[in-house]
Structures are given as C-alpha cells and as structure tokens.
mmCIF file of all heavy atoms in Angstrom:
data_model
loop_
_atom_site.group_PDB
_atom_site.id
_atom_site.type_symbol
_atom_site.label_atom_id
_atom_site.label_comp_id
_atom_site.label_asym_id
_atom_site.label_seq_id
_atom_site.Cartn_x
_atom_site.Cartn_y
_atom_site.Cartn_z
ATOM 1 N N MET W 30 -7.214 -7.953 8.029
ATOM 2 C CA MET W 30 -7.539 -8.984 7.045
ATOM 3 C C MET W 30 -6.478 -8.979 5.954
ATOM 4 O O MET W 30 -5.980 -7.913 5.566
ATOM 5 C CB MET W 30 -8.948 -8.664 6.509
ATOM 6 C CG MET W 30 -9.116 -8.689 5.019
ATOM 7 S SD MET W 30 -10.685 -7.982 4.508
ATOM 8 C CE MET W 30 -10.103 -6.559 3.606
ATOM 9 N N TYR W 31 -6.159 -10.196 5.480
ATOM 10 C CA TYR W 31 -5.185 -10.268 4.398
ATOM 11 C C TYR W 31 -5.827 -9.855 3.080
ATOM 12 O O TYR W 31 -6.911 -10.316 2.748
ATOM 13 C CB TYR W 31 -4.622 -11.684 4.265
ATOM 14 C CG TYR W 31 -3.531 -11.952 5.254
ATOM 15 C CD1 TYR W 31 -3.759 -12.731 6.374
ATOM 16 C CD2 TYR W 31 -2.275 -11.400 5.061
ATOM 17 C CE1 TYR W 31 -2.762 -12.954 7.305
ATOM 18 C CE2 TYR W 31 -1.263 -11.621 5.983
ATOM 19 C CZ TYR W 31 -1.514 -12.401 7.101
ATOM 20 O OH TYR W 31 -0.514 -12.612 8.008
ATOM 21 N N VAL W 32 -5.163 -8.988 2.357
ATOM 22 C CA VAL W 32 -5.616 -8.620 1.021
ATOM 23 C C VAL W 32 -4.825 -9.439 0.008
ATOM 24 O O VAL W 32 -5.381 -10.049 -0.894
ATOM 25 C CB VAL W 32 -5.420 -7.106 0.780
ATOM 26 C CG1 VAL W 32 -5.694 -6.754 -0.681
ATOM 27 C CG2 VAL W 32 -6.329 -6.306 1.696
ATOM 28 N N CYS W 33 -3.512 -9.461 0.177
ATOM 29 C CA CYS W 33 -2.652 -10.207 -0.742
ATOM 30 C C CYS W 33 -2.056 -11.402 0.004
ATOM 31 O O CYS W 33 -1.207 -11.244 0.871
ATOM 32 C CB CYS W 33 -1.531 -9.311 -1.258
ATOM 33 S SG CYS W 33 -0.407 -10.141 -2.381
ATOM 34 N N LEU W 34 -2.559 -12.595 -0.341
ATOM 35 C CA LEU W 34 -2.069 -13.802 0.337
ATOM 36 C C LEU W 34 -0.681 -14.173 -0.141
ATOM 37 O O LEU W 34 0.141 -14.651 0.627
ATOM 38 C CB LEU W 34 -3.030 -14.969 0.083
ATOM 39 C CG LEU W 34 -4.347 -14.886 0.849
ATOM 40 C CD1 LEU W 34 -5.251 -16.042 0.447
ATOM 41 C CD2 LEU W 34 -4.103 -14.912 2.349
ATOM 42 N N CYS W 35 -0.402 -13.962 -1.421
ATOM 43 C CA CYS W 35 0.912 -14.334 -1.957
ATOM 44 C C CYS W 35 2.035 -13.599 -1.229
ATOM 45 O O CYS W 35 3.071 -14.171 -0.931
ATOM 46 C CB CYS W 35 0.983 -14.035 -3.441
ATOM 47 S SG CYS W 35 -0.140 -15.016 -4.439
ATOM 48 N N GLU W 36 1.811 -12.310 -0.943
ATOM 49 C CA GLU W 36 2.848 -11.499 -0.297
ATOM 50 C C GLU W 36 2.564 -11.298 1.191
ATOM 51 O O GLU W 36 3.343 -10.646 1.883
ATOM 52 C CB GLU W 36 2.966 -10.134 -0.993
ATOM 53 C CG GLU W 36 3.483 -10.216 -2.430
ATOM 54 C CD GLU W 36 4.946 -10.635 -2.498
ATOM 55 O OE1 GLU W 36 5.733 -10.188 -1.661
ATOM 56 O OE2 GLU W 36 5.282 -11.422 -3.400
ATOM 57 N N GLY W 37 1.451 -11.811 1.686
ATOM 58 C CA GLY W 37 1.117 -11.671 3.101
ATOM 59 C C GLY W 37 0.917 -10.225 3.518
ATOM 60 O O GLY W 37 1.419 -9.795 4.559
ATOM 61 N N VAL W 38 0.179 -9.472 2.688
ATOM 62 C CA VAL W 38 -0.043 -8.055 2.980
ATOM 63 C C VAL W 38 -1.483 -7.843 3.443
ATOM 64 O O VAL W 38 -2.425 -8.329 2.803
ATOM 65 C CB VAL W 38 0.262 -7.181 1.741
ATOM 66 C CG1 VAL W 38 -0.039 -5.714 2.019
ATOM 67 C CG2 VAL W 38 1.720 -7.344 1.328
ATOM 68 N N THR W 39 -1.645 -7.112 4.537
ATOM 69 C CA THR W 39 -2.973 -6.862 5.101
ATOM 70 C C THR W 39 -3.513 -5.497 4.675
ATOM 71 O O THR W 39 -2.765 -4.643 4.207
ATOM 72 C CB THR W 39 -2.922 -6.887 6.637
ATOM 73 O OG1 THR W 39 -2.093 -5.796 7.074
ATOM 74 C CG2 THR W 39 -2.362 -8.194 7.158
ATOM 75 N N ASP W 40 -4.809 -5.308 4.894
ATOM 76 C CA ASP W 40 -5.400 -4.002 4.571
ATOM 77 C C ASP W 40 -4.788 -2.905 5.435
ATOM 78 O O ASP W 40 -4.623 -1.773 4.998
ATOM 79 C CB ASP W 40 -6.929 -4.031 4.699
ATOM 80 C CG ASP W 40 -7.423 -4.338 6.090
ATOM 81 O OD1 ASP W 40 -6.744 -5.095 6.805
ATOM 82 O OD2 ASP W 40 -8.481 -3.829 6.472
ATOM 83 N N THR W 41 -4.416 -3.255 6.680
ATOM 84 C CA THR W 41 -3.777 -2.267 7.570
ATOM 85 C C THR W 41 -2.456 -1.789 6.975
ATOM 86 O O THR W 41 -2.150 -0.593 7.002
ATOM 87 C CB THR W 41 -3.526 -2.887 8.960
ATOM 88 O OG1 THR W 41 -4.763 -3.406 9.436
ATOM 89 C CG2 THR W 41 -3.002 -1.855 9.939
ATOM 90 N N GLN W 42 -1.690 -2.708 6.431
ATOM 91 C CA GLN W 42 -0.403 -2.319 5.821
ATOM 92 C C GLN W 42 -0.631 -1.414 4.606
ATOM 93 O O GLN W 42 0.130 -0.471 4.380
ATOM 94 C CB GLN W 42 0.373 -3.562 5.385
ATOM 95 C CG GLN W 42 1.034 -4.288 6.526
ATOM 96 C CD GLN W 42 1.628 -5.594 6.029
ATOM 97 O OE1 GLN W 42 0.926 -6.584 5.887
ATOM 98 N NE2 GLN W 42 2.911 -5.580 5.744
ATOM 99 N N ILE W 43 -1.680 -1.703 3.853
ATOM 100 C CA ILE W 43 -1.990 -0.875 2.685
ATOM 101 C C ILE W 43 -2.378 0.525 3.142
ATOM 102 O O ILE W 43 -1.911 1.529 2.607
ATOM 103 C CB ILE W 43 -3.106 -1.521 1.839
ATOM 104 C CG1 ILE W 43 -2.591 -2.818 1.219
ATOM 105 C CG2 ILE W 43 -3.593 -0.555 0.738
ATOM 106 C CD1 ILE W 43 -3.637 -3.618 0.453
ATOM 107 N N ARG W 44 -3.242 0.589 4.177
ATOM 108 C CA ARG W 44 -3.651 1.906 4.699
ATOM 109 C C ARG W 44 -2.437 2.676 5.228
ATOM 110 O O ARG W 44 -2.290 3.867 4.972
ATOM 111 C CB ARG W 44 -4.683 1.738 5.815
ATOM 112 C CG ARG W 44 -6.047 1.333 5.309
ATOM 113 C CD ARG W 44 -7.057 1.158 6.430
ATOM 114 N NE ARG W 44 -8.037 0.147 6.090
ATOM 115 C CZ ARG W 44 -9.081 0.352 5.304
ATOM 116 N NH1 ARG W 44 -9.293 1.533 4.803
ATOM 117 N NH2 ARG W 44 -9.911 -0.636 5.014
ATOM 118 N N ASP W 45 -1.574 1.974 5.970
ATOM 119 C CA ASP W 45 -0.385 2.636 6.515
ATOM 120 C C ASP W 45 0.487 3.203 5.395
ATOM 121 O O ASP W 45 1.044 4.292 5.519
ATOM 122 C CB ASP W 45 0.429 1.663 7.377
ATOM 123 C CG ASP W 45 -0.218 1.430 8.738
ATOM 124 O OD1 ASP W 45 -1.148 2.193 9.094
ATOM 125 O OD2 ASP W 45 0.182 0.482 9.433
ATOM 126 N N ALA W 46 0.602 2.450 4.294
ATOM 127 C CA ALA W 46 1.421 2.922 3.173
ATOM 128 C C ALA W 46 0.859 4.229 2.625
ATOM 129 O O ALA W 46 1.620 5.137 2.267
ATOM 130 C CB ALA W 46 1.485 1.860 2.075
ATOM 131 N N VAL W 47 -0.478 4.331 2.573
ATOM 132 C CA VAL W 47 -1.091 5.576 2.097
ATOM 133 C C VAL W 47 -0.840 6.697 3.106
ATOM 134 O O VAL W 47 -0.449 7.802 2.741
ATOM 135 C CB VAL W 47 -2.610 5.396 1.835
ATOM 136 C CG1 VAL W 47 -3.267 6.730 1.483
ATOM 137 C CG2 VAL W 47 -2.845 4.389 0.710
ATOM 138 N N TYR W 48 -1.022 6.381 4.393
ATOM 139 C CA TYR W 48 -0.787 7.403 5.426
ATOM 140 C C TYR W 48 0.662 7.884 5.400
ATOM 141 O O TYR W 48 0.950 9.037 5.697
ATOM 142 C CB TYR W 48 -1.112 6.862 6.829
ATOM 143 C CG TYR W 48 -2.562 6.503 7.036
ATOM 144 C CD1 TYR W 48 -2.918 5.402 7.809
ATOM 145 C CD2 TYR W 48 -3.587 7.273 6.479
ATOM 146 C CE1 TYR W 48 -4.255 5.060 8.004
ATOM 147 C CE2 TYR W 48 -4.919 6.938 6.667
ATOM 148 C CZ TYR W 48 -5.255 5.825 7.427
ATOM 149 O OH TYR W 48 -6.559 5.485 7.614
ATOM 150 N N GLU W 49 1.572 6.969 5.046
ATOM 151 C CA GLU W 49 2.991 7.325 5.042
ATOM 152 C C GLU W 49 3.443 7.992 3.746
ATOM 153 O O GLU W 49 4.613 8.254 3.552
ATOM 154 C CB GLU W 49 3.836 6.073 5.320
ATOM 155 C CG GLU W 49 3.794 5.685 6.790
ATOM 156 C CD GLU W 49 4.211 4.238 7.039
ATOM 157 O OE1 GLU W 49 4.747 3.601 6.116
ATOM 158 O OE2 GLU W 49 3.974 3.762 8.159
ATOM 159 N N GLY W 50 2.509 8.225 2.829
ATOM 160 C CA GLY W 50 2.869 9.035 1.675
ATOM 161 C C GLY W 50 2.574 8.478 0.302
ATOM 162 O O GLY W 50 2.697 9.196 -0.684
ATOM 163 N N CYS W 51 2.227 7.181 0.188
ATOM 164 C CA CYS W 51 1.865 6.667 -1.131
ATOM 165 C C CYS W 51 0.560 7.320 -1.562
ATOM 166 O O CYS W 51 -0.395 7.362 -0.787
ATOM 167 C CB CYS W 51 1.679 5.159 -1.101
ATOM 168 S SG CYS W 51 3.206 4.253 -0.898
ATOM 169 N N CYS W 52 0.512 7.842 -2.776
ATOM 170 C CA CYS W 52 -0.728 8.514 -3.168
ATOM 171 C C CYS W 52 -1.344 7.927 -4.421
ATOM 172 O O CYS W 52 -2.141 8.573 -5.089
ATOM 173 C CB CYS W 52 -0.522 10.016 -3.289
ATOM 174 S SG CYS W 52 0.875 10.448 -4.281
ATOM 175 N N SER W 53 -0.996 6.688 -4.726
ATOM 176 C CA SER W 53 -1.685 6.004 -5.821
ATOM 177 C C SER W 53 -1.552 4.501 -5.606
ATOM 178 O O SER W 53 -0.692 4.037 -4.844
ATOM 179 C CB SER W 53 -1.063 6.365 -7.162
ATOM 180 O OG SER W 53 0.246 5.859 -7.221
ATOM 181 N N TYR W 54 -2.423 3.760 -6.287
ATOM 182 C CA TYR W 54 -2.346 2.304 -6.211
ATOM 183 C C TYR W 54 -0.975 1.830 -6.690
ATOM 184 O O TYR W 54 -0.372 0.950 -6.094
ATOM 185 C CB TYR W 54 -3.465 1.680 -7.068
ATOM 186 C CG TYR W 54 -3.302 0.214 -7.259
ATOM 187 C CD1 TYR W 54 -3.461 -0.676 -6.192
ATOM 188 C CD2 TYR W 54 -2.961 -0.305 -8.502
ATOM 189 C CE1 TYR W 54 -3.284 -2.029 -6.362
ATOM 190 C CE2 TYR W 54 -2.785 -1.663 -8.675
ATOM 191 C CZ TYR W 54 -2.942 -2.520 -7.611
ATOM 192 O OH TYR W 54 -2.769 -3.865 -7.778
ATOM 193 N N ARG W 55 -0.499 2.458 -7.740
ATOM 194 C CA ARG W 55 0.796 2.068 -8.298
ATOM 195 C C ARG W 55 1.924 2.200 -7.267
ATOM 196 O O ARG W 55 2.795 1.336 -7.156
ATOM 197 C CB ARG W 55 1.090 2.956 -9.510
ATOM 198 C CG ARG W 55 2.258 2.489 -10.334
ATOM 199 C CD ARG W 55 2.486 3.425 -11.479
ATOM 200 N NE ARG W 55 1.299 3.464 -12.326
ATOM 201 C CZ ARG W 55 1.337 3.393 -13.654
ATOM 202 N NH1 ARG W 55 2.480 3.324 -14.265
ATOM 203 N NH2 ARG W 55 0.233 3.417 -14.359
ATOM 204 N N GLU W 56 1.891 3.289 -6.520
ATOM 205 C CA GLU W 56 2.935 3.492 -5.505
ATOM 206 C C GLU W 56 2.831 2.465 -4.384
ATOM 207 O O GLU W 56 3.833 1.958 -3.893
ATOM 208 C CB GLU W 56 2.828 4.904 -4.920
ATOM 209 C CG GLU W 56 3.401 5.951 -5.845
ATOM 210 C CD GLU W 56 3.395 7.338 -5.224
ATOM 211 O OE1 GLU W 56 3.395 7.452 -3.977
ATOM 212 O OE2 GLU W 56 3.368 8.289 -6.002
ATOM 213 N N VAL W 57 1.595 2.166 -3.975
ATOM 214 C CA VAL W 57 1.410 1.173 -2.916
ATOM 215 C C VAL W 57 1.886 -0.195 -3.404
ATOM 216 O O VAL W 57 2.566 -0.925 -2.691
ATOM 217 C CB VAL W 57 -0.081 1.104 -2.482
ATOM 218 C CG1 VAL W 57 -0.295 -0.031 -1.492
ATOM 219 C CG2 VAL W 57 -0.525 2.419 -1.871
ATOM 220 N N ARG W 58 1.563 -0.489 -4.629
ATOM 221 C CA ARG W 58 1.980 -1.778 -5.194
ATOM 222 C C ARG W 58 3.498 -1.862 -5.243
ATOM 223 O O ARG W 58 4.084 -2.884 -4.898
ATOM 224 C CB ARG W 58 1.396 -1.937 -6.596
ATOM 225 C CG ARG W 58 1.496 -3.342 -7.115
ATOM 226 C CD ARG W 58 0.961 -3.452 -8.508
ATOM 227 N NE ARG W 58 1.692 -2.592 -9.401
ATOM 228 C CZ ARG W 58 1.359 -2.361 -10.665
ATOM 229 N NH1 ARG W 58 0.286 -2.907 -11.167
ATOM 230 N NH2 ARG W 58 2.088 -1.581 -11.409
ATOM 231 N N GLY W 59 4.146 -0.778 -5.652
ATOM 232 C CA GLY W 59 5.601 -0.767 -5.712
ATOM 233 C C GLY W 59 6.227 -0.909 -4.342
ATOM 234 O O GLY W 59 7.255 -1.549 -4.169
ATOM 235 N N SER W 60 5.570 -0.318 -3.339
ATOM 236 C CA SER W 60 6.130 -0.325 -2.000
ATOM 237 C C SER W 60 5.914 -1.664 -1.283
ATOM 238 O O SER W 60 6.792 -2.151 -0.581
ATOM 239 C CB SER W 60 5.499 0.841 -1.223
ATOM 240 O OG SER W 60 5.487 0.609 0.135
ATOM 241 N N LEU W 61 4.747 -2.286 -1.473
ATOM 242 C CA LEU W 61 4.429 -3.504 -0.717
ATOM 243 C C LEU W 61 4.529 -4.792 -1.537
ATOM 244 O O LEU W 61 4.492 -5.885 -0.978
ATOM 245 C CB LEU W 61 3.003 -3.402 -0.131
ATOM 246 C CG LEU W 61 2.761 -2.280 0.879
ATOM 247 C CD1 LEU W 61 1.296 -2.263 1.295
ATOM 248 C CD2 LEU W 61 3.639 -2.445 2.110
ATOM 249 N N GLY W 62 4.618 -4.665 -2.843
ATOM 250 C CA GLY W 62 4.721 -5.857 -3.684
ATOM 251 C C GLY W 62 3.410 -6.578 -3.909
ATOM 252 O O GLY W 62 3.394 -7.721 -4.376
ATOM 253 N N ILE W 63 2.300 -5.904 -3.609
ATOM 254 C CA ILE W 63 0.999 -6.549 -3.812
ATOM 255 C C ILE W 63 0.739 -6.756 -5.303
ATOM 256 O O ILE W 63 1.243 -6.006 -6.128
ATOM 257 C CB ILE W 63 -0.163 -5.723 -3.201
ATOM 258 C CG1 ILE W 63 -0.052 -4.251 -3.591
ATOM 259 C CG2 ILE W 63 -0.211 -5.877 -1.706
ATOM 260 C CD1 ILE W 63 -1.223 -3.408 -3.129
ATOM 261 N N ALA W 64 -0.037 -7.790 -5.592
ATOM 262 C CA ALA W 64 -0.433 -8.122 -6.968
ATOM 263 C C ALA W 64 0.760 -8.401 -7.870
ATOM 264 O O ALA W 64 0.683 -8.231 -9.085
ATOM 265 C CB ALA W 64 -1.307 -7.026 -7.567
ATOM 266 N N SER W 65 1.864 -8.834 -7.288
ATOM 267 C CA SER W 65 3.041 -9.109 -8.110
ATOM 268 C C SER W 65 3.136 -10.586 -8.475
ATOM 269 O O SER W 65 4.006 -10.978 -9.229
ATOM 270 C CB SER W 65 4.306 -8.667 -7.373
ATOM 271 O OG SER W 65 4.411 -9.348 -6.149
ATOM 272 N N GLN W 66 2.250 -11.393 -7.900
ATOM 273 C CA GLN W 66 2.317 -12.825 -8.239
ATOM 274 C C GLN W 66 1.049 -13.288 -8.948
ATOM 275 O O GLN W 66 0.938 -13.160 -10.151
ATOM 276 C CB GLN W 66 2.622 -13.622 -6.983
ATOM 277 C CG GLN W 66 4.028 -13.268 -6.495
ATOM 278 C CD GLN W 66 4.507 -14.167 -5.406
ATOM 279 O OE1 GLN W 66 4.391 -15.375 -5.510
ATOM 280 N NE2 GLN W 66 5.028 -13.591 -4.351
ATOM 281 N N CYS W 67 0.033 -13.797 -8.215
ATOM 282 C CA CYS W 67 -1.152 -14.313 -8.924
ATOM 283 C C CYS W 67 -2.050 -13.194 -9.437
ATOM 284 O O CYS W 67 -2.826 -13.388 -10.362
ATOM 285 C CB CYS W 67 -1.945 -15.260 -8.028
ATOM 286 S SG CYS W 67 -2.924 -14.414 -6.770
ATOM 287 N N GLY W 68 -1.965 -12.028 -8.797
ATOM 288 C CA GLY W 68 -2.746 -10.891 -9.263
ATOM 289 C C GLY W 68 -4.191 -10.847 -8.790
ATOM 290 O O GLY W 68 -4.916 -9.907 -9.078
ATOM 291 N N LYS W 69 -4.626 -11.888 -8.042
ATOM 292 C CA LYS W 69 -6.032 -11.948 -7.623
ATOM 293 C C LYS W 69 -6.422 -10.852 -6.640
ATOM 294 O O LYS W 69 -7.588 -10.542 -6.484
ATOM 295 C CB LYS W 69 -6.324 -13.311 -6.971
ATOM 296 C CG LYS W 69 -6.489 -14.404 -7.971
ATOM 297 C CD LYS W 69 -6.943 -15.674 -7.289
ATOM 298 C CE LYS W 69 -6.943 -16.822 -8.293
ATOM 299 N NZ LYS W 69 -6.620 -18.090 -7.650
ATOM 300 N N CYS W 70 -5.441 -10.299 -5.961
ATOM 301 C CA CYS W 70 -5.731 -9.289 -4.948
ATOM 302 C C CYS W 70 -5.869 -7.893 -5.541
ATOM 303 O O CYS W 70 -6.256 -6.965 -4.848
ATOM 304 C CB CYS W 70 -4.597 -9.277 -3.934
ATOM 305 S SG CYS W 70 -2.996 -8.964 -4.709
ATOM 306 N N ALA W 71 -5.567 -7.725 -6.818
ATOM 307 C CA ALA W 71 -5.484 -6.380 -7.392
ATOM 308 C C ALA W 71 -6.765 -5.578 -7.195
ATOM 309 O O ALA W 71 -6.725 -4.411 -6.807
ATOM 310 C CB ALA W 71 -5.131 -6.465 -8.878
ATOM 311 N N CYS W 72 -7.913 -6.228 -7.431
ATOM 312 C CA CYS W 72 -9.178 -5.506 -7.373
ATOM 313 C C CYS W 72 -9.450 -5.000 -5.950
ATOM 314 O O CYS W 72 -9.767 -3.826 -5.747
ATOM 315 C CB CYS W 72 -10.289 -6.446 -7.847
ATOM 316 S SG CYS W 72 -11.788 -5.595 -8.203
ATOM 317 N N LEU W 73 -9.300 -5.888 -4.977
ATOM 318 C CA LEU W 73 -9.549 -5.497 -3.586
ATOM 319 C C LEU W 73 -8.496 -4.486 -3.120
ATOM 320 O O LEU W 73 -8.826 -3.510 -2.440
ATOM 321 C CB LEU W 73 -9.533 -6.743 -2.686
ATOM 322 C CG LEU W 73 -9.744 -6.503 -1.199
ATOM 323 C CD1 LEU W 73 -11.061 -5.775 -0.937
ATOM 324 C CD2 LEU W 73 -9.734 -7.829 -0.437
ATOM 325 N N ALA W 74 -7.259 -4.710 -3.507
ATOM 326 C CA ALA W 74 -6.199 -3.792 -3.093
ATOM 327 C C ALA W 74 -6.462 -2.387 -3.622
ATOM 328 O O ALA W 74 -6.309 -1.403 -2.895
ATOM 329 C CB ALA W 74 -4.847 -4.301 -3.594
ATOM 330 N N LYS W 75 -6.899 -2.304 -4.877
ATOM 331 C CA LYS W 75 -7.225 -0.994 -5.465
ATOM 332 C C LYS W 75 -8.328 -0.321 -4.672
ATOM 333 O O LYS W 75 -8.287 0.881 -4.417
ATOM 334 C CB LYS W 75 -7.699 -1.168 -6.913
ATOM 335 C CG LYS W 75 -6.588 -1.145 -7.906
ATOM 336 C CD LYS W 75 -7.124 -1.264 -9.322
ATOM 337 C CE LYS W 75 -6.032 -1.795 -10.222
ATOM 338 N NZ LYS W 75 -6.499 -2.364 -11.457
ATOM 339 N N GLN W 76 -9.319 -1.122 -4.302
ATOM 340 C CA GLN W 76 -10.452 -0.579 -3.544
ATOM 341 C C GLN W 76 -9.988 -0.025 -2.195
ATOM 342 O O GLN W 76 -10.398 1.073 -1.795
ATOM 343 C CB GLN W 76 -11.462 -1.705 -3.332
ATOM 344 C CG GLN W 76 -12.813 -1.247 -2.870
ATOM 345 C CD GLN W 76 -13.721 -2.451 -2.626
ATOM 346 O OE1 GLN W 76 -13.690 -3.413 -3.384
ATOM 347 N NE2 GLN W 76 -14.492 -2.404 -1.561
ATOM 348 N N VAL W 77 -9.127 -0.768 -1.498
ATOM 349 C CA VAL W 77 -8.638 -0.298 -0.192
ATOM 350 C C VAL W 77 -7.839 0.993 -0.362
ATOM 351 O O VAL W 77 -8.010 1.944 0.404
ATOM 352 C CB VAL W 77 -7.780 -1.391 0.504
ATOM 353 C CG1 VAL W 77 -7.152 -0.859 1.779
ATOM 354 C CG2 VAL W 77 -8.619 -2.617 0.796
ATOM 355 N N VAL W 78 -6.996 1.038 -1.390
ATOM 356 C CA VAL W 78 -6.203 2.251 -1.626
ATOM 357 C C VAL W 78 -7.131 3.430 -1.913
ATOM 358 O O VAL W 78 -6.979 4.507 -1.340
ATOM 359 C CB VAL W 78 -5.220 2.053 -2.811
ATOM 360 C CG1 VAL W 78 -4.569 3.370 -3.207
ATOM 361 C CG2 VAL W 78 -4.153 1.033 -2.437
ATOM 362 N N ARG W 79 -8.112 3.200 -2.765
ATOM 363 C CA ARG W 79 -9.042 4.274 -3.146
ATOM 364 C C ARG W 79 -9.795 4.800 -1.923
ATOM 365 O O ARG W 79 -9.912 6.002 -1.716
ATOM 366 C CB ARG W 79 -10.034 3.747 -4.179
ATOM 367 C CG ARG W 79 -10.342 4.746 -5.257
ATOM 368 C CD ARG W 79 -11.326 4.195 -6.279
ATOM 369 N NE ARG W 79 -10.792 3.093 -7.057
ATOM 370 C CZ ARG W 79 -11.431 1.922 -7.257
ATOM 371 N NH1 ARG W 79 -12.606 1.704 -6.742
ATOM 372 N NH2 ARG W 79 -10.880 0.987 -7.982
ATOM 373 N N GLU W 80 -10.298 3.871 -1.118
ATOM 374 C CA GLU W 80 -11.040 4.275 0.090
ATOM 375 C C GLU W 80 -10.155 5.071 1.041
ATOM 376 O O GLU W 80 -10.585 6.064 1.620
ATOM 377 C CB GLU W 80 -11.557 3.038 0.828
ATOM 378 C CG GLU W 80 -12.796 2.449 0.214
ATOM 379 C CD GLU W 80 -13.182 1.135 0.886
ATOM 380 O OE1 GLU W 80 -12.632 0.803 1.963
ATOM 381 O OE2 GLU W 80 -14.026 0.448 0.317
ATOM 382 N N THR W 81 -8.908 4.608 1.206
ATOM 383 C CA THR W 81 -8.018 5.266 2.159
ATOM 384 C C THR W 81 -7.632 6.652 1.665
ATOM 385 O O THR W 81 -7.617 7.605 2.440
ATOM 386 C CB THR W 81 -6.766 4.405 2.408
ATOM 387 O OG1 THR W 81 -7.178 3.073 2.678
ATOM 388 C CG2 THR W 81 -5.958 4.943 3.575
ATOM 389 N N ILE W 82 -7.360 6.769 0.359
ATOM 390 C CA ILE W 82 -7.015 8.082 -0.194
ATOM 391 C C ILE W 82 -8.193 9.039 -0.026
ATOM 392 O O ILE W 82 -8.004 10.220 0.284
ATOM 393 C CB ILE W 82 -6.591 7.955 -1.675
ATOM 394 C CG1 ILE W 82 -5.215 7.301 -1.739
ATOM 395 C CG2 ILE W 82 -6.561 9.320 -2.367
ATOM 396 C CD1 ILE W 82 -4.738 6.960 -3.131
ATOM 397 N N ALA W 83 -9.404 8.540 -0.171
ATOM 398 C CA ALA W 83 -10.596 9.390 -0.021
ATOM 399 C C ALA W 83 -10.746 9.896 1.412
ATOM 400 O O ALA W 83 -11.312 10.957 1.653
ATOM 401 C CB ALA W 83 -11.837 8.614 -0.443
ATOM 402 N N GLU W 84 -10.201 9.121 2.377
ATOM 403 C CA GLU W 84 -10.328 9.493 3.794
ATOM 404 C C GLU W 84 -9.302 10.543 4.214
ATOM 405 O O GLU W 84 -9.553 11.305 5.138
ATOM 406 C CB GLU W 84 -10.077 8.270 4.693
ATOM 407 C CG GLU W 84 -11.248 7.318 4.764
ATOM 408 C CD GLU W 84 -10.837 5.984 5.377
ATOM 409 O OE1 GLU W 84 -9.764 5.910 6.016
ATOM 410 O OE2 GLU W 84 -11.590 5.019 5.209
ATOM 411 N N VAL W 85 -8.119 10.521 3.569
ATOM 412 C CA VAL W 85 -7.047 11.403 4.051
ATOM 413 C C VAL W 85 -7.069 12.786 3.409
ATOM 414 O O VAL W 85 -7.810 13.044 2.501
ATOM 415 C CB VAL W 85 -5.636 10.788 3.880
ATOM 416 C CG1 VAL W 85 -5.468 9.596 4.803
ATOM 417 C CG2 VAL W 85 -5.356 10.424 2.451
HETATM 418 FE FE1 FES I 29 -1.740 -10.841 -4.200
HETATM 419 FE FE2 FES I 29 -1.577 -13.281 -5.226
HETATM 420 S S1 FES I 29 -2.869 -12.569 -3.646
HETATM 421 S S2 FES I 29 -0.478 -11.531 -5.830
#
C-alpha cells in the first residue's frame, strides 16, 4: 500500500528501510524522502516505522 503518494513510497519500502538499518522515523524520512512535500503521510509513515522497529 502507498503511504506517501507524493513520493510514491509504499509501506514495504519503509519496512525495508528499517530492516536495512534505519532506526528512527527521521532516518527513514531522510532515506526515502517521505513527508517532504504535502506532509499528509507523516502520521501513517511514523506509525509504520514505529511498528516495524518494535518487530525487529
Ligand atoms: Fe507524502 Fe505528500 S503524501 S509528502
């Protein structure tokens, strides 16, 4: 599912970024460019990052 429509980033890409070493929302945002335009995805993106970090 798309989380960030502006940048075309999916939840899978966000999870992969965490698996590959990003350990905070800020790092994922820097790596994928999420929430860099309209910002509407920030809340959901944070949630996905938080859930994924809790799993690993
Ligand atoms: Fe992510 Fe607009 S949907 S910045």
Side-chain angles (χ1 to χ4, degrees):
M30 132 192 115
Y31 279 104
V32 172
C33 179
L34 287 176
C35 295
E36 294 291 321
V38 177
T39 64
D40 62 328
T41 306
Q42 283 173 279
I43 293 175
R44 287 179 211 280
D45 284 347
V47 174
Y48 296 143
E49 284 161 12
C51 289
C52 50
S53 66
Y54 169 69
R55 191 181 300 226
E56 282 184 24
V57 174
R58 194 182 60 188
S60 154
L61 297 177
I63 47 175
S65 59
Q66 294 190 47
C67 76
K69 282 187 187 148
C70 57
C72 194
L73 179 57
K75 271 182 203 161
Q76 194 183 321
V77 174
V78 170
R79 219 180 294 131
E80 281 174 12
T81 311
I82 288 173
E84 283 166 17
V85 292

